[in-house]
Amino acid sequence: MAQGRPDIPTALRREVLVEAGHRCAIPTCRQTPVELAHITPWAKVREHRFENLIALCPTCHTRFDGGAIDRRAMLQYKANLGLLTSRYTQIERQLLLALTRHRALRDERGEWRTDMPNPIGALVTYGAVYVPFGMLWTVSNLIDDELVWVEGLNTDVLTLHLTAAGGELVSRWVDAEPLD
């Protein structure tokens, strides 16, 4: 804590941590433990405000302070996090990230690919998540917003796949671009 700088109030600290799910707010990181960072430096604003605080792991915090992550990107991560947490549950946000772990798997038109042949010729499925039928309600917002499509509605285990709209949303999220 800097000399003369007051502690962040407990309620405000809790609000920022809950917003990020007690994980790093950078969607491609999501590590723990986390620290709270001022998006506009404390020395400039000299106040603690929710809109100016973001949860970051020590590595991302150091990268931000050192300029490897710019302020504009950090402001967008904060804005996107607010939008996503107001619309989607933690489970749904984690599912979106899980479905896109292999972001490089796009075809020549930039469309998301869910299956790619492996080197020995067998089909490997990427970007699919399996959900027990009784748990479908946990991802209902993603289905309603047509970010995922469901395969196997007549079975006990459903397979969720990312739609093109879902892929676009996640790409914009992880690239710190505005979400519509």
Side-chain angles (χ1 to χ4, degrees):
M1 185 63 57
Q3 182 104 358
R5 181 165 118 185
D7 289 342
I8 297 170
T10 302
L12 179 57
R13 174 177 291 281
R14 182 180 306 111
E15 188 178 5
V16 173
L17 291 171
V18 167
E19 173 191 47
H22 289 260
R23 294 185 164 279
C24 183
I26 308 294
T28 54
C29 180
R30 306 297 295 152
Q31 295 297 310
T32 60
V34 293
E35 308 165 344
L36 297 192
H38 289 83
I39 299 170
T40 300
W42 162 261
K44 187 173 183 179
V45 297
R46 307 204 52 81
E47 66 179 345
H48 303 301
R49 289 182 306 111
F50 177 79
E51 300 79 21
N52 192 45
L53 291 169
I54 192 165
L56 298 174
C57 72
T59 300
C60 289
H61 194 171
T62 300
R63 292 180 63 224
F64 175 53
D65 286 347
I69 302 171
D70 67 21
R71 184 174 174 274
R72 185 173 179 193
M74 199 59 68
L75 285 166
Q76 195 60 61
Y77 285 133
K78 176 71 173 184
N80 290 349
L81 189 59
L83 182 89
L84 289 167
T85 57
S86 70
R87 176 68 183 140
Y88 303 107
T89 66
Q90 180 68 18
I91 292 171
E92 289 171 318
R93 293 189 311 273
Q94 289 300 318
L95 176 69
L96 284 172
L97 290 174
L99 285 167
T100 59
R101 291 284 184 236
H102 304 283
R103 289 182 62 207
L105 299 178
R106 292 182 184 229
D107 65 19
E108 59 280 352
R109 296 180 314 270
E111 305 265 331
W112 287 93
R113 294 201 51 192
T114 58
D115 56 349
M116 300 270 297
N118 72 17
I120 59 170
L123 197 62
V124 178
T125 300
Y126 292 106
V129 173
Y130 305 101
V131 177
F133 184 80
M135 297 299 291
L136 192 58
W137 64 271
T138 63
V139 294
S140 61
N141 293 320
L142 298 178
I143 295 167
D144 291 348
D145 290 352
E146 298 179 351
L147 300 177
V148 298
W149 63 274
V150 182
E151 178 183 6
L153 285 175
N154 296 323
T155 63
D156 290 338
V157 178
L158 306 173
T159 307
L160 300 181
H161 300 273
L162 202 59
T163 64
E168 178 64 22
L169 179 125
V170 174
S171 290
R172 296 178 71 77
W173 179 21
V174 299
D175 292 340
E177 295 178 14
L179 302 178
D180 300 327

